[in-house]
Amino acid sequence: MAGALYPPPGLVAELDSSLSLLEVGGGRAPPPAEQQQQRRAGAENADLLPMVFLCAGCKRPVGDTLSWVTNDEEAGCILLRSAAASVSVDEERKLSKRPGECGCMIETLFCSGCSMTLGNIYRCTPKHLDYKRDLFCFSVDSVESYILGSSEKQALTDEEPLTLESRAVLEEVLQRADTVLKALETRLTAVESSMASLHNKV
């Protein structure tokens, strides 16, 4: 996953479209005004921040937008030039049984962590599907996306940081507590001894 830090600006629209495919509940379209606002915000974010694709089963990274090629909304997939090491390829070639893919030879992609099927690599295609050949075609139902830098939560604490001075005070308090505990232990031993002596006399 080495290379440029951000996706090419020309792919912003396609990235935004793919984000909508990967969103939970993407089947229900929001109002037009909200759609426009989401597209604008998504385009701005995609232009600035790279996106990582994760296995929907075990959340291992399977690819990112540094190797982005395109997306196929009709087939419900995204196409990448390369994939992460956690993606394994079943080199046994099979004939695709999907509608409109007659004659396509494919190899299955699966997650090496949880063995979930992620998509296919098209090794032999008819002319109208040549754009998919030798690319990693991930099903949007098998992957999730995460935009790097999108996290807003921060670790907040009301406690003061531990300094050398506060550490010295803390150590002194602990030492005093240890002294008190030892004194109590000595007294308890003496009381137990006295009780045992009284019991023996009776």
Side-chain angles (χ1 to χ4, degrees), residues 22-52:
L22 292 168
E23 287 175 350
V24 178
R28 295 190 300 272
E34 187 177 343
Q35 284 183 351
Q36 185 176 2
Q37 185 177 0
Q38 288 177 352
R39 278 196 295 268
R40 189 182 301 110
E44 291 174 358
N45 290 334
D47 196 22
L48 296 174
L49 302 170
M51 183 164 57
V52 175

Side-chain angles (χ1 to χ4, degrees), residues 35-156:
Q35 284 183 351
Q36 185 176 2
Q37 185 177 0
Q38 288 177 352
R39 278 196 295 268
R40 189 182 301 110
E44 291 174 358
N45 290 334
D47 196 22
L48 296 174
L49 302 170
M51 183 164 57
V52 175
F53 301 109
L54 311 171
C55 169
C58 63
K59 311 307 179 189
R60 281 179 168 81
V62 298
D64 55 43
T65 50
L66 302 182
S67 58
W68 178 269
V69 178
T70 187
N71 69 295
D72 187 337
E73 293 189 25
E74 185 177 350
C77 66
I78 56 174
L79 283 79
L80 307 179
R81 285 187 299 273
S82 59
S86 57
V87 178
S88 298
V89 181
D90 183 356
E91 296 183 357
E92 180 184 354
R93 298 187 178 184
K94 304 174 183 177
L95 279 171
S96 174
K97 297 180 180 180
R98 293 174 61 92
E101 295 186 356
C102 180
C104 288
M105 295 292 294
I106 58 173
E107 295 174 356
T108 303
L109 302 176
F110 62 93
C111 176
S112 59
C114 64
S115 300
M116 182 176 184
T117 300
L118 300 173
N120 304 291
I121 294 182
Y122 288 77
R123 295 303 189 187
C124 180
T125 59
K127 188 174 182 180
H128 71 284
L129 292 177
D130 278 350
Y131 69 96
K132 287 187 176 183
R133 187 181 301 172
D134 296 329
L135 295 176
F136 290 84
C137 182
F138 291 99
S139 169
V140 296
D141 295 327
S142 302
V143 296
E144 297 176 357
S145 64
Y146 175 76
I147 299 177
L148 297 181
S150 62
S151 177
E152 296 179 355
K153 287 189 176 181
Q154 297 181 354
L156 300 177

Side-chain angles (χ1 to χ4, degrees), residues 177-197:
D178 186 57
T179 302
V180 171
L181 287 174
K182 286 180 179 178
L184 289 173
E185 185 179 2
T186 302
R187 291 183 182 181
L188 180 60
T189 302
V191 170
E192 288 177 345
S193 233
S194 300
M195 293 292 293
S197 297

Side-chain angles (χ1 to χ4, degrees), residues 165-181:
E165 184 179 356
S166 58
R167 179 177 177 179
V169 173
L170 180 60
E171 287 178 350
E172 184 180 353
V173 171
L174 290 174
Q175 188 174 2
R176 288 179 182 176
D178 186 57
T179 302
V180 171
L181 287 174

